[in-house]
Amino acid sequence: VAVGMLMALDLSRRMGRVDDATIRVTRSLFEDAGLPLKPPAEMGESDFIRFMSQDKKNINQKIRLVLLSALGCAEITEGYQQGMLSETIRAFVQPCG
């Protein structure tokens, strides 16, 4: 869950909804709490898409995400660019080898 929240923040930043400071504060809180900051090394981009496709927030087979405009201000939306979502996932996926 923590990794997913960080990924949602990353996508929110790419979309201009939050700033880098918001991500730093959240990351620091998660780190202090001992929460994971990275997904399992064996997870790839296709794994993320598959899991997100099965989420209960989706409607009519469209992936809906919780994105932030500030800490504590979130919305469920499908209003994001697929390319930005892919960039976010690739930023978190561990390269092989």
Side-chain angles (χ1 to χ4, degrees), residues 16-84:
R17 297 169 63 114
V18 298
D19 59 13
D20 290 335
T22 302
I23 294 175
R24 281 193 303 273
V25 166
T26 305
R27 187 175 198 69
S28 178
L29 288 170
F30 287 2
E31 189 171 29
D32 290 348
L35 297 172
L37 304 177
K38 296 179 181 178
E42 64 273 7
M43 282 191 71
E45 186 173 353
S46 62
D47 297 314
F48 278 101
I49 297 297
R50 186 176 73 249
F51 290 130
M52 291 181 342
S53 296
Q54 299 169 358
D55 192 274
K56 65 183 175 234
K57 293 184 297 295
N58 298 340
I59 296 176
N60 296 326
Q61 298 180 338
K62 291 185 180 182
I63 296 175
R64 294 169 39 110
L65 303 173
V66 177
L67 299 179
L68 281 77
S69 55
L71 285 179
C73 298
E75 69 172 308
I76 297 173
T77 183
E78 57 189 60
Y80 58 89
Q81 293 179 357
Q82 184 62 44
M84 285 186 181

